[in-house]
Every structure is written in structure tokens, then in C-alpha cells.
Amino acid sequence: MTERMLKFVSRDRETPLKRSPGERRRDFDEIYARFAVEHAEAQASRCSQCGVPFCQNHCPLGNDIPDWLKLVAEGRLEEAYEVSSATNNMPEICGRICPQDRLCEGSCVIEQSGHGTVTIGAVEQYITETAWDKGWIKPVKPSRERPHSVGIIGAGPSGLAAAEELRREGFQVKVYDRYDRTGGLLVYGIPNFKLEKDVVARRTTHLEKSGVQFVRNFDVGRDATLAQLRAEHSAVLIATGVYKARDLVCPGSGNAGVIAALDYLTASNRTGLGDEVEAFESGALNAEGKSVVVIGGGDTAMDCVRTAVRQGAKSVTCLYRRDRKNMPGSARETANAEEEGVIFEWLAAPKAVRGDAACANGIRVARMELGAPDASGRRAPVEIDGAEVDLEADLVIKALGFEPEDMPAMFGAPELKTTAYGTLRVNPSTLETNIAGVYAAGDIVRGASLVVWAIVDGRKAASAITKQLKATATTPVAAE
Ligand SMILES: Cc1cc2nc3c(=O)[nH]c(=O)nc-3n(C[C@H](O)[C@H](O)[C@H](O)COP(=O)(O)OP(=O)(O)OC[C@H]3O[C@@H](n4cnc5c(N)ncnc54)[C@H](O)[C@@H]3O)c2cc1C
Ligand code: SF4
């Protein structure tokens, strides 16, 4: 079967069809089509089946990429799905939104030899979308039910991955979330044009059919303390993400028209889902007709600029204080934003927001250069004396990153230990916190990170919980 593979020498890399920028600007639909079967097979056959698969080593989940690429090239899709889903609870989501250029595809050996990487993410998405279409994805049916219950706080990717794994083991799983919908940042952070919401809702439905119970609009801290949940469940997993936005510190940063990225994205996502959002209707969280400046260079900033384009902004500019090479966001998303008409001001930092308490009417920007490396090892941006410019801006969006909330205070659990960054302190092998039977996973442990890492943690915590509960198991309850 090797003759089906190694086609990178004769076949060029192709991504799934991408809609034209002009068309994309007019709606919030996903921008890539799905591969047709012949394209998926052809692209999968470009894999060189390396003895040491660097792609797999650089996938946080250790996905068995060469194997499922080979199975796709051979037309054995159901087997490809079995292999792909063995290590990932939501491959169709990772296939869409992982920054593959920094992970699996970034270390593809044929890319290193100048042939263009195998389109791993697109093939991964294709496999699981086909599995949904064909009905291969069945609700989890544990071979036996266990009496222990696990409470999961947070229905983001980390909590959802853990829920599925624990259900597979037969535990009774209850997921609490303060929002009215499940999915965490997959629903209220990441825009539709990267990840359509029905793709996330389908996963929730799958878990519900698998017996996972969801308790929505339940804010731990307000509706129960951590101790109360711990008393109710055999184990508890905290997967609450990080939501405290880093603030802009400069004159005028408190003016009306200076808004937080997540408020803006949540309003847009809610509107897309059919909710009535007062602040969107009033224009406070709507970019239509405005000159928009987004401050930041990560995924959140990219999502804001591209949302503003789709809302009909007059102009959209992104300010980033380092250069393009040092941007933390995905290179692919930056390129997409540029195609859609976003202007990037590299090496530029906000000095002051002009305007008053009623409205912003511009932003003063300092030009920067890169100096000596800072504590992170990256060259620090340094302001160039006297090099300032004024830009038009009546909406300024702060996308400067997120930090954890004060978890011990929020949960009424002063004994819960945190790190110097406010993230939860855990045993790295089990993800258990200092409170016995209370585990933590995802962004609340790592700080703002990626969906794929949240899934890795959710699976790891589920495995440790399983081990602990099985060790203390009483007689299992027979499956119905
Ligand atoms: C705008 C934006 C774009 C992003 N784009 C990408 C991308 O393209 N690719 C990528 O890989 N990653 C991206 N990320 C990062 C990714 O979304 C996160 O790393 C990931 O969602 C973290 O998962 P989590 O389960 O730890 O937390 P979350 O997804 O944040 O979920 C946490 C859940 O916990 C709930 N919760 C919090 N506190 C409580 C409480 N007290 N009681 C009950 N429930 C609570 C929240 O309501 C939420 O539903 C992006 C992030 C943002 C903000
Ligand atoms: S999960 Fe992400 S990093 Fe891993 S193979 Fe899929 S797209 Fe690549």
C-alpha cells in the first residue's frame, strides 16, 4: 500500500476551497469548504510516512497522524475515524481551529524539505465530519455503570473532554456552567467564521445522549461553594478557564468607546445565535460604520478585527507592539485578516486614547523598535523617542490577554492553592489540586492557551480521577 503514499513529489499541497475575501466580509459563515473525498484522499497520500513522525510529536494529543492519513488515502475512512477519535474528543474542532502552522503541520518533514506540509488539520476535520454524516459517532455506552459521581465545573473543551472520558468509564457525570450554553470559549469567544456553533452544539448533544448531565446558569461561587460540590460528588474537576481581561493602561483608556475584546466577541456571537443583546443594538458593542482599532496580536485580536470587518466597520486597524514574526496569533489567521482588508500596524503601541467620557475620537500611537530580549526570551519592544502618529478611532478594542479570576475567593475556598500567576496549583502528574479529590484542567491551570491543550488536560484529569475512584470502588452497578 506504500505506493499510495509519498505523493508529495508529484502532487502539490492544496487546502480546502476558501471563499473569496469579498464574499467572506459579508457574512459570519466558516470560510473554508470541506474537502471532497478525492481531494482528501489525494492530500492524505502526500504523507511521507516518516519513521519518526514529527507531526505526531508536535501534536499535543500525540494523534496518530501518519496512520490516519494512510487509512484516508486507502479509502478506509471508518478505520481512520477510529484511530483519530482514540486520542481526541473533538477532532473536527481541532481540525478547524488548531494553529497547525505552529503544531503538527509546522513540523511536517515534507514542509521542511520545501514541498509544502500535508494538510493535516483539514483531513482530520474531513474524517470526523464524514463520521458524523455516516452515523459512526454513537453515544457512549459504558460497559457498566459505577455509583461514583464526578462534578465538573466548566463546559469548555477541557470539561467536555473530561466528561466524555469519565462517562466512558461508567461514572455519573454532572457538568456545571455559569453560561446558558455549553462550550465555553468555543461558543462565546471564537467567532462563527472559524467555528460554526452547531459544530459545538452537536458535541453537547452527543454528551447528553451519552448520559452526561448539564446544569446551565449555575455559577459556582454564587450558587454553591466548592466545598458543597465536593461533598456532593466523589471527585470534582475545575475547568473554568481564564476570564479576567488585562487592561489598557494609558490616558483615555476609560473613555466610552474603549471596550474589552471578550465583551465584544460575546455580544457578536450571541447576536449570531439569535439572542437580543442590548449593548449590540445600542451600538456600544457594534463596529458598524466605525473606525476600529484593535490592540493586541493574539488569536483574540485576530477574531476582533475580522468580526469588525463583517459588522461593516469603516476601517479596521490592528496595533501590535512587536513585529509580524513575533506575533503570538496564528500566521494563517493574520493572513486571512489581511485578505479581508485589515490594516496591521506592526511595532506600534497605544500612547493615549483621544476623546472624552462620552466617546473616543482617535488614538495616539508610539512607534516601537525591538531591543534586548526580556524575561520571556523575546526581544522587548522599546519606544522610539518622538515617533508618534495619530490614528482615527471611534471604537478601541482591548485584546491584551486574559488572567485567572481570584479562584479561592470566587469559590469560597481560601485553602485552594494558586501559583504566582493566579492559576491553580496542581500535581503535574495527576492534575489534582491541594484539596484531595479536587482536580483542575485547561486554561485555569496553564493560563490562556489552546483548545487542543485543554483537551489534553481534560483527558489527563479524567484518567487520574478514574484511577483514584477505581481504587476506592465499591461494587459497580450493572448497566441497564
Ligand atoms: C477570542 C478567542 C479566540 C481563540 N481562538 C482560538 C483558536 O483559534 N484556537 C485555539 O486552539 N484556541 C483558541 N482560543 C483559546 C481557547 O479558546 C482556550 O484555550 C480554551 O477554550 C480553554 O478551554 P477551557 O475548557 O480551559 O476553558 P473555557 O473554554 O474558557 O471554558 C470554561 C468554562 O467554565 C465556565 N465557568 C467559569 N467560571 C465558572 C463558575 N464560577 N461556575 C460555573 N462555570 C464557570 C465558563 O462559563 C466556561 O464555559 C481562543 C480564545 C479566545 C478568547
Ligand atoms: S489536534 Fe491539532 S495539532 Fe493535533 S493533529 Fe489535529 S490539528 Fe494537528
Side-chain angles (χ1 to χ4, degrees):
M1 285 294 175
T2 353
E3 70 274 12
R4 284 189 195 269
M5 305 305 288
L6 285 94
K7 295 286 189 245
F8 63 91
V9 278
S10 55
R11 218 166 251 154
D12 286 342
R13 167 185 159 88
E14 275 176 27
T15 56
L17 280 181
K18 185 158 74 161
R19 296 194 294 134
S20 74
E23 188 189 331
R24 294 175 353 219
R25 288 169 61 101
R26 290 196 292 271
D27 64 45
F28 280 79
D29 296 346
E30 283 185 10
I31 71 167
Y32 293 99
R34 207 201 301 174
F35 267 142
V37 57
E38 61 279 11
H39 283 113
E41 288 179 6
Q43 289 299 306
S45 73
R46 295 182 68 246
C47 173
S48 72
Q49 299 284 288
C50 309
V52 179
F54 290 100
C55 56
Q56 180 170 4
N57 295 343
H58 283 83
C59 165
L61 286 158
N63 281 346
D64 197 349
I65 301 164
D67 274 9
W68 44 255
L69 287 173
K70 185 162 180 281
L71 290 165
V72 171
E74 292 169 3
R76 295 157 64 188
L77 263 186
E78 192 163 358
E79 289 163 83
Y81 166 68
E82 292 302 330
V83 177
S84 155
S85 61
T87 49
N88 191 351
N89 302 78
M90 32 193 104
E92 73 284 22
I93 293 180
C94 292
R96 282 172 167 88
I97 61 168
C98 268
Q100 286 101 8
D101 45 353
R102 283 192 268 138
L103 300 171
C104 53
E105 294 183 12
S107 32
C108 172
V109 165
I110 64 171
E111 163 88 348
Q112 309 301 324
S113 64
H115 288 278
T117 170
V118 176
T119 45
I120 298 169
V123 175
E124 187 179 27
Q125 174 186 347
Y126 167 79
I127 295 169
T128 311
E129 286 300 335
T130 309
W132 282 113
D133 290 350
K134 302 267 186 197
W136 299 333
I137 304 181
K138 299 271 192 296
V140 173
K141 210 163 181 337
S143 54
R144 59 182 186 178
E145 293 291 338
R146 296 178 190 274
H148 303 89
S149 76
V150 181
I152 297 178
I153 312 171
S158 202
L160 296 183
E164 185 170 23
E165 292 305 296
L166 289 162
R167 219 21 233 136
R168 226 181 272 293
E169 293 291 340
F171 295 113
Q172 312 311 310
V173 180
K174 213 181 221 188
V175 183
Y176 302 87
D177 202 289
R178 63 182 169 196
Y179 285 147
D180 52 346
R181 293 186 177 90
T182 48
L185 289 172
L186 302 179
V187 169
Y188 286 135
I190 298 173
N192 232 44
F193 50 80
K194 273 167 56 183
L195 176 64
E196 287 177 0
K197 302 306 160 213
D198 53 359
V199 173
V200 185
R202 188 171 58 183
R203 279 283 160 199
T204 305
T205 307
H206 164 74
L207 290 175
E208 279 171 331
K209 285 186 184 162
S210 304
V212 173
Q213 244 187 296
F214 287 97
V215 188
R216 298 177 177 87
N217 297 309
F218 191 100
D219 190 327
V220 178
R222 183 194 65 192
D223 299 319
T225 61
L226 180 62
Q228 284 167 330
L229 288 191
R230 179 69 191 90
E232 191 179 327
H233 297 287
S234 315
V236 169
L237 173 65
I238 304 172
T240 47
V242 289
Y243 284 86
K244 195 168 105 194
R246 287 200 193 108
D247 218 349
L248 176 64
V249 185
C250 73
S253 59
N255 290 353
V258 182
I259 60 170
L262 202 54
D263 293 347
Y264 173 67
L265 292 172
T266 304
S268 174
N269 278 318
R270 279 195 179 280
T271 306
L273 283 159
D275 294 353
E276 263 183 38
V277 183
E278 224 263 349
F280 181 83
E281 298 304 327
S282 73
L285 296 178
N286 185 350
E288 189 179 357
K290 295 181 182 163
S291 302
V292 178
V293 170
V294 176
I295 305 168
D299 285 328
T300 305
M302 292 311 99
D303 290 351
C304 289
V305 289
R306 298 177 66 203
T307 296
V309 164
R310 284 158 175 78
Q311 288 178 345
K314 194 164 105 192
S315 66
V316 184
T317 305
C318 179
L319 294 189
Y320 180 54
R321 62 196 181 130
R322 289 189 165 91
D323 59 4
R324 181 186 199 115
K325 212 172 89 208
N326 283 290
M327 245 182 125
S330 154
R332 180 185 59 193
E333 300 309 331
T334 308
N336 284 334
E338 278 179 320
E339 286 171 10
E340 290 163 11
V342 174
I343 299 158
F344 283 85
E345 293 282 353
W346 310 109
L347 292 161
K351 269 295 258 192
V353 179
R354 291 186 286 117
D356 53 32
C359 71
N361 63 13
I363 186 162
R364 176 150 297 178
V365 173
R367 294 283 172 206
M368 315 293 280
E369 60 188 350
L370 293 180
D374 60 16
S376 72
R378 289 192 302 165
R379 291 176 65 195
V382 181
E383 191 175 328
I384 304 173
D385 272 348
E388 290 175 8
V389 285
D390 286 325
L391 300 180
E392 217 181 294
D394 33 25
L395 187 66
V396 175
I397 304 179
K398 304 175 283 184
L400 300 161
F402 300 96
E403 285 164 1
E405 290 154 286
D406 181 345
M407 297 301 290
M410 186 165 95
F411 278 1
E415 71 281 21
L416 186 62
K417 288 217 165 90
T418 56
T419 66
Y421 305 102
T423 48
L424 292 182
R425 193 180 286 279
V426 292
N427 172 335
S429 345
T430 60
L431 301 187
E432 193 171 19
T433 66
N434 64 303
I435 304 177
V438 175
Y439 296 74
D443 280 5
I444 194 55
V445 173
R446 293 178 179 274
S449 179
L450 293 172
V451 168
V452 66
W453 281 113
I455 298 171
V456 169
D457 287 354
R459 293 172 67 91
K460 186 171 172 180
S463 154
I465 292 170
T466 300
K467 212 160 150 200
Q468 189 219 343
L469 294 185
K470 278 186 178 171
T472 57
T474 52
T475 318
V477 178
E480 282 176 14

